[in-house]
Amino acid sequence: MWHELGWQVLTVWLVTAAAMTVGWMVQYRTRNATLVDAIWTATMGLAALFYAAMGSGDPLIRGLLALFGGLWALRLFLHLLDRVRHEDEDGRYQYLREHWQDSQPKFFAFFQAQALFTTIFSLPFLAVAANPGSKQSPGWIAAALLVWLLSLSGEAIADRQLARFRRRPDSRGKTCREGLWRYSRHPNYFFEWTHWFAYVLLAVGSPIGWLAILGPVLMLVSLYRFTGIPYTEAQALRSRGDDYRDYQARTSAFIPWFPKTRGSRP
């Protein structure tokens, strides 16, 4: 079993590394590294479809994996691609470009690191695809479907609310506090994180089900320590200053909760 699974993981890494190489070449011409986010999402979706097709598990569970991973990636990819096409390079990557003095070897290494992250982050899909379904009850499947629907809807709503706010002429230098953004500084990240629990539920009974836990664990670590919240908030402070500091003081960083009133401000 491990030999078969090993070549599947290797295939995902090789294909993703090739896609990231093409992305780096496009970035070299356009000077817009935001493309890396769209490629990461697309390759994650392809990994879900690949594992679902090649897996040895229950056909229904593999079908749900293809549905969950494919639709999640398609929606997010189209959202990110729209930003690549119609907006300037994300401030996070502008900062890296300035900090690295536009060093293309460093950008190439950065793109290839995303290929490695795709390979690791897609391991929950591998666990689901290997689930024989013998210990999977309709309750687990129903719970997975519910988590996936709520998470995908929440992330889509948060992205749409932020995009609508950013299109307004008076939004420059201001922070979105509308809709879900009133209750969390990163509602899109929160629902992205909860989305990974759907695969944990689908992997119940899989001989390698423990790999599915990597999804929510690695995503939480990534969002809190690496590519998510730290970089996003650092850029927000650079571009929005005191307005974002006030937002930080009043609004939950991650889990949606009621904002603090002026009188409770620290």
Side-chain angles (χ1 to χ4, degrees):
M1 180 184 73
W2 289 108
H3 180 269
E4 180 180 352
L5 297 180
W7 79 258
Q8 291 181 26
V9 173
L10 179 62
T11 300
V12 168
W13 175 66
L14 290 174
V15 171
T16 305
M20 287 296 176
T21 299
V22 174
W24 169 76
M25 294 169 65
V26 173
Q27 169 276 148
Y28 179 75
R29 290 174 45 230
T30 63
R31 291 301 192 269
N32 189 344
T34 310
L35 181 64
V36 72
D37 295 332
I39 297 175
W40 184 86
T41 303
T43 52
M44 285 294 295
L46 290 174
L49 296 176
F50 173 72
Y51 285 136
M54 303 305 297
S56 59
D58 180 75
L60 172 61
I61 295 177
R62 289 190 288 121
L64 288 174
L65 168 62
L67 178 70
F68 286 10
L71 290 183
W72 159 76
L74 178 62
R75 186 212 69 84
L76 187 55
F77 170 75
L78 293 176
H79 170 72
L80 294 170
L81 187 62
D82 184 68
R83 291 188 59 183
V84 172
R85 294 174 56 196
H86 298 106
E87 298 182 17
D88 294 333
E89 184 178 49
D90 189 285
R92 294 171 297 162
Y93 302 126
Q94 290 181 17
Y95 173 78
L96 287 178
R97 194 173 299 281
E98 180 180 352
H99 181 67
W100 289 342
Q101 298 179 332
D102 200 23
S103 170
Q104 287 308 306
K106 289 183 178 179
F107 268 103
F108 180 77
F110 176 75
F111 271 70
Q112 291 305 314
Q114 304 312 304
L116 180 60
F117 291 155
T118 296
T119 306
I120 297 173
F121 271 90
S122 67
L123 290 178
F125 302 153
L126 185 70
V128 174
N131 192 349
S134 57
K135 297 181 181 179
Q136 186 69 280
S137 69
W140 290 116
I141 293 177
L145 179 61
L146 180 61
V147 168
W148 181 77
L149 285 173
L150 291 176
S151 300
L152 193 70
S153 299
E155 189 174 7
I157 291 171
D159 284 340
R160 189 162 56 247
Q161 289 172 342
L162 181 60
R164 185 173 60 235
F165 173 81
R166 291 166 63 126
R167 286 195 297 266
R168 285 171 30 188
D170 62 343
S171 67
R172 188 173 183 83
K174 296 181 180 178
T175 303
C176 179
R177 293 174 168 85
E178 301 173 357
L180 294 171
W181 299 85
R182 170 179 167 79
Y183 304 100
S184 170
R185 302 203 298 270
H186 304 281
N188 53 341
Y189 289 166
F190 171 76
F191 287 109
E192 169 66 23
W193 174 63
T194 59
H195 149 261
W196 289 93
F197 285 97
Y199 306 108
V200 175
L201 295 169
L202 283 182
V204 172
S206 172
I208 52 173
W210 58 272
L211 285 175
I213 301 296
L214 290 176
V217 171
L218 291 178
M219 182 56 63
L220 188 64
V221 172
S222 176
L223 290 175
Y224 259 98
R225 297 298 180 188
F226 297 106
T227 61
I229 294 175
Y231 277 95
T232 301
E233 299 219 332
Q235 174 58 28
L237 288 170
R238 286 191 292 267
S239 61
R240 282 169 261 163
D242 288 340
D243 184 68
Y244 197 77
R245 291 186 184 91
D246 179 79
Y247 183 60
Q248 284 181 312
R250 302 179 192 284
T251 311
S252 171
F254 189 62
I255 299 174
W257 192 248
F258 296 101
K260 297 177 183 177
T261 62
R262 291 186 179 273
S264 62
R265 181 180 177 182

